[in-house]
Amino acid sequence: ILMSENFQVIVIGAGPAGYVAAIRAAQLGLKTACIEKWIDDNGKCKLGGTCLNVGCIPSKALLDSSHKFAEAKHDFSIHGISSNDLSMDISKMLERKNKIVSQLTGGISGLFKANGVHSIFGAAKLLANKIVEVTDPSGKKEQYTADHIIIAAGSVPITIPPAPLVDDIVVDSTGALEFKSVPQKLGVIGAGVIGLELGSVWARLGSQVTVLEALDDFLPAADLTISKETFKTFKKQGLDIKLGTRVTGSEVIGEGDNRQVKVEFTDSNGKTEMLFDRLIVCVGRRPLSENLLSPDSGVNLDERGFIFVNEQCETEVRDIYAVGDIVRGPMLAHKASEEGVMVAERIAGKKPQINYENIPNVIYTHPEIAWVGKTEQELKAAGTDYNVGIFPFSASGRAMAANETTGMVKIIAEAKSDRILGCHIIGPSAADLVQQVVIAIEFGASSEDLALTVFSHPTLSEVVHEAALAVSGHAIHIPNKPKRS
Ligand code: FAD
Ligand code: NAD
């Protein structure tokens, strides 16, 4: 085994947690290496992790393509635009997605060069005494040492015994980004974020989609008002979401192109079977912590396999940190990147903190669903007194002009102080609208602060303004309940 250089910082993993940490550390003048094992079809190292290669970016590329198709098919006519003879070239859609991914992953290589981050290709294992062993694709091992180590090895899809993956028939989220044709009947196990996003992609392109969800509640992490509205909206769009469903088995039947998958499940009606052309299993992700730590590395996992860290992402070994999907908290790219930045800056002697209470969540369906902070049911359970303001997009002139009137903005503020505690949106551009309230919360704003802010007319953000006004019963463009002076 070769013993190579010492670095001030070694980052394991080049996803949004790791590559961002590496760039920030190098910006701060630290001699930094980033180790990545992701291998592309040509045997080359690919940076960007789950998010860029098989996650956020490719899924949004397909969501945007399929949305344009569905919009042209169903919604253009109301504007007087005819779109007969519409067709979709799936291979072109996939080609566009792949091009965007390559552009972005290549962009990270460029950023590494520009910032002086040393890129190392291979699988890393953390040994004792801050030694990192890297095995390259040919099997050659090399060891590096570092003053500080940041583990950012990310997560992988969970598989379940009743639905093992089979070729391109029973797939995880990665396979669902690659279907070569539109499956006529598509099954989805799990009505979480991936199930809704990727289920929507193929439903818009013509699949008949059935979603099998184990829980009785739909989107339990979302505010109840929003999850109810979301369920109704998706039902109208043709997603058949079966709650309280336990998948007990699956079997691929038929030959060649005619292969189908038979799925057995139990629900309140008892045992049922359904036949699908394709099945997506998206029941959550798990931390990728195997083959990563030698037993004497000193870094411990929690009971669910996540690397155990404190609020500052410090492991139990001094100068070893872990960030992103491999630690507690939401598995979101923006949370991962902010943790990467925080740790790089703390290594350099700065003292930033992340406000874990103020991390936005988005589901990129159409309409979008987005929220931040506390839900009404959480506040009720905690016994907090609060006021709620709701404003529907159907009362917004701009939403009407855009023919995008589904949904609402709901703002919740603490009764005594009027401090904003949460914002919950289903509607057009919800992802960008919620960010306005994320900023307000970060600045400690009250609903009155938002109410006193001038919003451009006519914009969708006026719906945020009116929801803030509604908290104290002052909304202008809907009757307020109760009417307040
Ligand atoms: P990852 O992105 O998983 O990166 C970890 C990297 O470490 C990988 O490249 C891996 O190869 C590498 N690695 C692992 N072990 C080793 C080792 N031993 N040696 C060397 N390298 C190693 N989040 C959002 O916020 N918004 C979205 O819209 C969104 N959409 C998503 C859509 C899909 C279909 C999926 C699957 C996920 C989506 N996510 C989204 C989640 C997001 O992708 C993750 O939260 C994010 O990628 C986590 O970043 P990370 O750097 O912690 O881990
Ligand atoms: P998820 O946790 O969002 O949803 C999984 C769903 O599957 C849950 O509703 C769960 O109750 C259900 N489930 C679990 N086991 C089941 C079983 N045996 N049968 C039927 N249903 C079952 O997970 P996901 O959709 O796989 O996504 C993984 C993670 O990736 C998410 O938690 C999220 O953090 C991240 N992600 C984020 C975005 C985004 O931010 N827009 C998009 C995609 C993925």
Side-chain angles (χ1 to χ4, degrees):
I1 293 173
L2 284 168
M3 192 62 162
S4 299
E5 287 178 83
N6 179 67
F7 290 92
Q8 283 174 294
V9 178
I10 285 182
V11 183
I12 300 176
Y19 86 74
V20 169
I23 289 174
R24 187 69 190 115
Q27 275 177 357
L28 289 159
L30 300 163
K31 183 183 169 192
T32 303
C34 185
I35 306 166
E36 174 56 59
K37 66 174 185 182
W38 200 298
I39 202 163
D40 72 7
D41 294 341
N42 306 316
K44 292 227 168 80
C45 180
K46 239 180 146 194
L47 306 177
T50 304
C51 172
L52 269 66
N53 287 293
V54 293
C56 327
I57 298 299
S59 61
K60 266 78 254 177
L62 297 188
L63 277 158
D64 279 329
S65 294
S66 58
H67 175 60
K68 286 196 192 310
F69 178 73
E71 206 179 17
K73 195 164 177 191
H74 305 294
D75 301 329
F76 274 14
S77 58
I78 198 171
H79 298 276
I81 307 169
S82 59
S83 52
N84 304 328
D85 298 330
L86 206 61
S87 68
M88 184 75 189
D89 182 339
I90 298 294
S91 57
K92 215 162 179 176
M93 175 180 85
L94 298 180
E95 209 177 283
R96 186 189 86 98
K97 173 209 67 167
N98 294 340
K99 207 168 144 196
I100 297 165
V101 168
S102 301
Q103 249 173 346
L104 286 171
T105 54
I108 296 176
S109 301
L111 287 171
F112 273 7
K113 281 197 195 98
N115 285 285
V117 175
H118 298 247
S119 203
I120 299 172
F121 184 19
K125 186 166 190 170
L126 179 68
L127 311 181
N129 304 316
K130 290 188 277 178
I131 297 172
V132 179
E133 182 176 273
V134 180
T135 310
D136 78 9
S138 72
K140 200 177 95 204
K141 290 186 192 304
E142 206 153 328
Q143 291 187 347
Y144 301 87
T145 52
D147 305 335
H148 306 270
I149 293 170
I150 306 175
I151 305 169
S155 65
V156 287
I158 293 174
T159 48
I160 48 170
L165 305 188
V166 183
D167 305 331
D168 61 345
I169 308 283
V170 183
V171 299
D172 57 16
S173 56
T174 303
L177 298 167
E178 296 295 338
F179 291 149
K180 300 279 178 290
S181 60
V182 180
Q184 217 176 55
K185 287 190 181 157
L186 175 65
V188 176
I189 306 184
V193 196
I194 294 181
L196 296 175
E197 289 187 355
L198 294 181
S200 294
V201 164
W202 296 104
R204 291 166 186 174
L205 299 176
S207 293
Q208 193 183 320
V209 178
T210 306
V211 186
L212 307 172
E213 167 60 45
L215 297 179
D216 293 326
D217 295 327
F218 176 65
L219 285 183
D223 187 272
L224 213 54
T225 317
I226 304 299
S227 53
K228 274 190 191 150
E229 184 70 17
T230 304
F231 191 78
K232 249 184 14 206
T233 307
F234 285 145
K235 208 160 185 172
K236 246 198 251 160
Q237 291 180 6
L239 287 193
D240 179 14
I241 304 170
K242 296 187 186 303
L243 300 173
T245 301
R246 204 164 63 87
V247 175
T248 51
S250 65
E251 189 191 351
V252 173
I253 55 172
E255 296 289 325
D257 286 348
N258 296 322
R259 282 195 297 176
Q260 286 187 306
V261 54
K262 191 168 76 181
V263 178
E264 274 178 15
F265 55 88
T266 50
D267 59 14
S268 53
N269 303 318
K271 236 180 158 63
T272 318
E273 256 177 37
M274 276 185 91
L275 211 52
F276 299 112
D277 299 305
R278 295 282 185 279
L279 179 67
I280 310 175
V281 182
C282 42
V283 293
R285 296 177 60 84
R286 61 176 179 81
L288 182 50
S289 43
E290 63 255 19
N291 300 325
L292 180 65
L293 309 168
S294 75
D296 56 356
S297 71
V299 172
N300 292 316
L301 306 181
D302 69 15
E303 63 283 359
R304 292 157 61 220
F306 291 92
I307 292 181
F308 184 77
V309 289
N310 63 12
E311 287 253 307
Q312 287 77 42
C313 295
E314 294 165 337
T315 69
E316 288 169 305
V317 182
R318 205 190 141 95
D319 299 327
I320 300 185
Y321 306 80
V323 292
D325 278 11
I326 201 157
V327 302
R328 83 289 167 263
M331 287 181 160
L332 296 173
H334 41 285
K335 174 264 194 185
S337 296
E338 289 308 321
E339 286 184 336
V341 169
M342 171 178 75
V343 165
E345 294 193 348
R346 292 185 82 86
I347 290 171
K350 297 174 184 284
K351 296 278 174 239
Q353 288 275 0
I354 289 177
N355 181 359
Y356 283 101
E357 300 289 308
N358 198 19
I359 298 175
N361 272 283
V362 179
I363 306 177
Y364 294 86
T365 45
H366 193 85
E368 289 178 341
I369 294 114
W371 71 89
V372 67
K374 299 280 186 233
T375 61
E376 195 173 348
Q377 64 265 27
E378 280 172 337
L379 293 172
K380 252 187 210 152
T384 308
D385 284 336
Y386 59 87
N387 292 318
V388 174
I390 295 181
F391 195 85
F393 283 96
S394 58
S396 149
R398 187 60 195 270
M400 271 184 233
N403 192 34
E404 294 277 8
T405 50
T406 304
M408 71 192 85
V409 174
K410 172 172 178 177
I411 291 179
I412 312 178
E414 191 179 38
K416 200 160 152 226
S417 64
D418 190 37
R419 195 164 58 94
I420 301 169
L421 298 177
C423 175
H424 307 274
I425 308 177
I426 171 172
S429 301
D432 293 298
L433 294 181
V434 85
Q435 196 62 40
Q436 307 183 351
V437 183
V438 175
I439 294 169
I441 290 176
E442 198 58 33
F443 288 2
S446 61
S447 81
E448 188 186 26
D449 288 326
L450 271 190
L452 289 169
T453 303
V454 181
F455 285 70
S456 319
H457 177 74
T459 57
L460 293 173
S461 44
E462 286 171 300
V463 179
V464 173
H465 190 210
E466 289 269 15
L469 285 161
V471 170
S472 51
H474 297 159
I476 301 294
H477 293 95
I478 44 162
N480 291 280
K481 285 187 275 178
K483 201 167 165 233
R484 307 238 177 93
S485 57

